[in-house]
Structures are given as structure tokens and as C-alpha cells.
Amino acid sequence: MLHQLKWLWENMDAKYHKRHIIALAICVLTSAMLLVNPAITQRIVDDVLMAQNPEPLMGLLVVMLITRLGREGLRYYMVVTMERDSQNVLFNLRRKLFSKLQYNDMRFFDQHRTGDIMTRMSADLDWCRHFISNIDFRIVDAVCIFLFACVYLLSVNWKLTLLLIVVTPILLLITKFYSKHIRPRFMFMRDKLAEMNTTAQENIAGNRVVKAFAREEYEKDRFRERNEAFRNSHLRINKLWLSFYPFIEILSNAIQLINIFVGGLFIIWGQMTPGELAVFTSLSWALSNPMREMGNLLNDLQRFSTSASKVMEMYFSNPQIVDAPDAVEHGRMKGKIEFRNVSFQFDKEMVINDVSFTVEPGQTVAVMGPTGSGKTTLINLLARFYDTTAGEVLVDDCNVKKWKLQQLRGGIGTATQDVFLFSDTVEGNVAFGNQELTLDEVKDFTYRAAAGDFVEKLSEGYDTIIGERGVGLSGGQRQRIALARAMAVRPSILVMDDTTSAVDSETEQFIQQQLRQLPFECTKFIIAQRISSMRDADLILVLKDGRIVERGTHEELVKNRGYYYQTYALQNGMSEEAM
């Protein structure tokens, strides 16, 4: 846990370090101030009541009041300071974790579910904040109160004090045993929380699918199972705590019984004054309360440690795909693409196997093939979302691994079939990759993507909020806005992955015409199943099981009478005999 505390300290701004130390010092001071009133109580009992001398009473009461008010004022400042420090740590961790998310590669997101990431960014981070704002000063408070009370009581009557603290070693053994068994349960509970959040997130994101298949009841049952699993894990922790709690209570109450019984005997034997017994009575809670607090603190410490380990795993994760030390700066990308004997293996599955082809700047390459043949993987390798297992991907005769990632991806505009639009205006979505676009330029690219007409009919035109929580758009409308967004960065390589799959033939023809008349030079990389989307390409590739099984122009592949020709014949309603 020490490395977790060091990590938190390092994520607190330097100017807060001194303040936090001062706040902890105030915690120590206010713990010591708790001894003032019991000491004054001793004087009131012995020097005022027993001596029947009311003269010093008023002065003693005033000191008690001032001490109480001063302590509360200092505690208020301490709590406010701790909260500010914790918010500073929380702010810094959120910022750094979000930055990590931006630069982590695709494998990270393949391995971590969205619900798990959100749990780390919310509940787990809040426990890190909770340690700074609450747990650390409670630990200092409990330890200081116990130690100060022990020292003071030893000075009053060491025999009774030793009898009172004799139960402490027993308590320490209990808490150590409890701590050993509670951590794996907290880890399990935290995993169940992540599973529940993932289920909820997937349901919200896929709500349209749930309704389309009338699976509401199934989803309710699935969430209920996750919810019950989380609840049961929480109950098991509480059950474990409750099995230890009676022992802690018995030991704490034993202090009270020893104090009353032995203290009474000491007064009878003349070894204590009534005032000294009053001190023990008023401070016995200072010995028993830290024992009660110990169990709660252990719970909180284990939850903090579990959450911190999850956050740190994400915090210290490093992307595998980064700029090479010898990466070079390039001018504007020309758009030449070359795959040299490229193979790619994901986990143990070979997705791409010995693929080679070349596309010159300004040319168009089209890729088709059955589902799972590796078409989209080619795009991912081109933009270096993944690195090749073997072979090379080159852009402008330079291996993509030698390109600066930002420059490489900045030169590639991508529009996919699975469209994601941000909760922003139409203008904001189109200009996402190029914030310097004017409204006229946004309108021009929207028109080229055959989206201008329907955008202007929206309630607020280009200022209409769209996206996940915006107005509903059809699949084809979303695809066209995504295409406008890809064209708006004026890329050297324009990638279209089934971009026009949801539009009608007339709209597709218009888009194809606009693509041939773009106001900038670019190489086009088209993935499609429609022959109409690729028939004019300079090079058509047919993939099957990760290999190129056919290549050539439209006319050449039709003559070849392979997969491409069969698809062409089916889409053109040709008879089986003609095929």
C-alpha cells in the first residue's frame, strides 16, 4: 500500500503538499487538545467539588469552552483543506487517465470493457479521493488519540492504564486476521460492480437493438443477475465484518468495565482520587473508540487499496504503438500505399496472410470479400491502429512505423459503416478533424457527401445537435455526415469502409461523382460489397481468409469469373446459367 500512497502524493500539486502536511499537523494538535478538558475535569472534581472551593470554577469552565471552540475551528479548517487537496488529486488523476485513454492503442480497448473503464474513472477514482479527504486523517486521529491518552493516563495512574490497554495486542491479532481475508472479497466485489456497469452501458448503447428484438425482459433478467451478484458480494463482506465486530465490541466494553471496577477499588484503597477516576472515565473512549474505528478503517483501506490498484493499472499502462525513436517528419502526404508481404495475427488467429499490393498517389483501390476476410484489418494496419506481425506497410515509400503517428493518421480521412457522431452540431461534427473550416467550407463538403439537402431541412440547420443524444438520423444520413467529416480534413488518403452501404443508388452515384471531383489530390481506399462502388477503381482486390485471391480492374475480374464475377452477376440479376 505504500507505493499507492506515494503515487497519490505524486499526483498532488506541489503547492498542496505543504497545506496537507499542515492539515495533518492540525489533526495531531486537535487530538492532543482532547486531553485538556479531562485534565480540567480532574481539577473541578478534586479542587472544586471535593474541596468545596467554587472560586476557580468559572475560570476552568471558560478554558474548557475556549479549548472546545478552538478545536472545532481548527478541525473545520483541517477538513476543508483535506477536501481541497483530495479534489486536486482527483482532478489530476482524471486528467491524466483521460489523456491515457486518448493515446492507448486499440489492443487496450479490445481487452477492457467500457463499463470497466468507466468504473475506474468514477467509483475507483472516488475512493482515491476519499483516502485523501477522509481516511488518512482518521488514521492519524485514531493513532494520536490512543497514544496521547495512553501517555496522559500513564502519568495519572500507570497501573490502571496498563490494565486498560492489555487488550490491545488481542485486537491487533483480530484486525490482522480480518485484513487478510477481506482484500480478496473486495477485489471480487469490485469486479462484480464493473460487470454490472458494463451490462448497463451495453444496454443503453444498444437500446435500439434491444427494442428491435423485443428483448427487454431478457435484458432485465441479465441486469438483475449482475445486480444480485454485486449485492451478494457486498453482503458477504458485511457478513465477514459482522463476524469480527462482536469481538471488537467486547474488547472495547472490557475497557469500561475494568475502568469502573478497578478504578473504584483504587479509590477505596486510597490509590486514586475521584478526580483521577473522572479522567479515566472521560478518556476511556479514547482507548476504546480507536479499536472500534480500526475495523471501519480496515474496510476503507482495503476498498481504497483495491480501487487504487485498478486505477494504477490503467494509469501506468503504456501503448505498444508509439512513435519510433527514429521517426521522421514528412511534408504533406502524397498518398502512395504499399503492402509488402504483410501478415497480421490477432491473438492466435491469422487475420491477414502474405498480402502485397501497391497503389500510386491519386489512384483508387477497392477491396471486397466475404465477412471476416480481413478487409477492415487492412485499414487498421494502414493507419497503424495495429502493427503487422510480418511484412511492411509503406506510405510514400516509408514504413508506417517510421511515421509520426499524428502526422500519419492526420493524413488519412476515414469514414466507416459503423458511424459514430458526437453530441454536437452538424457543423461541429463535420469540422471535427479540421477546426479551422469556415461554415461555407462545411457546407461544401456536406454537399459533396450528398448530405446538404437533408441538413438544411433540420430544425436548426447546421446548428442542429446530432449524435447519440441528438435528433434521430437514418443510417444513410449518418454515413453521409461521416463521409463529409472524412473529406473535410482534405486527406491524402481517403478511406471508405462500406460508407455508402445505407444510401440509395442515385445518392451513391452522386457521391461517386463528387469523389472524382474533390478539390484536393487523394488516394482512395474503398471497402465495399456493391460493385457499383468499386467498378471504376484502378485496382480491385478480393480477399478470402486473409489472402488476396483475385486482383485487377473491373473488366479483368469479370472475365476471371471468380468471386467478384459471381457477386457482379447476383447484383445485376443475371441468370444462373449466365453465371
Side-chain angles (χ1 to χ4, degrees), residues 97-114:
L97 287 177
F98 191 78
S99 178
K100 281 282 185 180
L101 288 178
Q102 305 315 298
Y103 297 105
N104 263 322
D105 47 44
M106 297 304 296
R107 285 187 183 274
F108 174 85
F109 294 97
D110 292 336
Q111 295 168 358
H112 294 85
R113 300 166 298 180
T114 302

Side-chain angles (χ1 to χ4, degrees), residues 27-28 30-32 34-35 71 75 138-151 283 285-287 289-290:
C27 181
V28 175
T30 53
S31 298
L34 285 172
L35 304 179
R71 182 179 184 276
R75 296 285 284 194
R138 283 168 54 203
I139 294 173
V140 173
D141 212 31
V143 171
C144 288
I145 288 174
F146 183 81
L147 292 178
F148 290 157
C150 286
V151 171
L283 280 180
W285 69 270
L287 300 179
N289 215 49

Side-chain angles (χ1 to χ4, degrees), residues 369-526:
T371 301
S373 58
K375 303 183 296 295
T376 301
T377 303
L378 294 180
I379 297 173
N380 292 333
L381 295 175
L382 175 64
R384 210 184 163 206
F385 294 138
Y386 299 95
D387 275 338
T388 59
T389 304
E392 293 181 299
V393 178
L394 298 95
V395 172
D396 293 352
D397 297 317
C398 179
N399 193 313
V400 291
K401 296 178 181 179
K402 297 293 181 67
W403 278 77
K404 297 279 188 182
L405 278 176
Q406 188 170 7
Q407 195 174 21
L408 172 68
R409 294 170 182 171
I412 302 174
T414 304
T416 63
Q417 179 184 17
D418 185 17
V419 177
F420 179 85
L421 297 178
F422 293 93
S423 295
D424 196 355
T425 62
V426 174
E427 181 183 1
N429 270 280
V430 174
F432 177 76
N434 184 359
Q435 297 294 312
E436 297 179 358
L437 283 181
T438 65
L439 180 57
D440 288 338
E441 290 173 320
V442 169
K443 289 181 177 180
D444 178 58
F445 286 114
T446 307
Y447 170 79
R448 292 178 183 278
D453 290 341
F454 80 80
V455 169
E456 290 175 358
K457 294 177 183 178
L458 295 174
S459 58
E460 297 180 49
Y462 286 85
D463 291 327
T464 304
I465 301 293
I466 59 174
E468 187 180 59
R469 300 191 182 276
V471 298
L473 299 177
S474 69
Q477 289 172 334
R478 288 174 176 267
Q479 282 186 347
R480 281 176 273 172
I481 290 177
L483 178 58
R485 178 173 61 191
M487 291 190 295
V489 297
R490 296 182 175 88
S492 299
I493 299 174
L494 179 61
V495 175
M496 293 171 286
D497 186 356
D498 266 348
T499 307
T500 57
S501 61
V503 302
D504 57 79
S505 298
E506 182 180 349
T507 302
E508 183 186 22
Q509 289 178 10
F510 176 82
I511 293 173
Q512 294 294 337
Q513 180 183 353
Q514 293 301 316
L515 289 173
R516 289 190 289 269
Q517 300 173 359
L518 288 175
F520 54 88
E521 276 294 319
C522 76
T523 303
K524 301 172 189 67
F525 197 118
I526 300 173

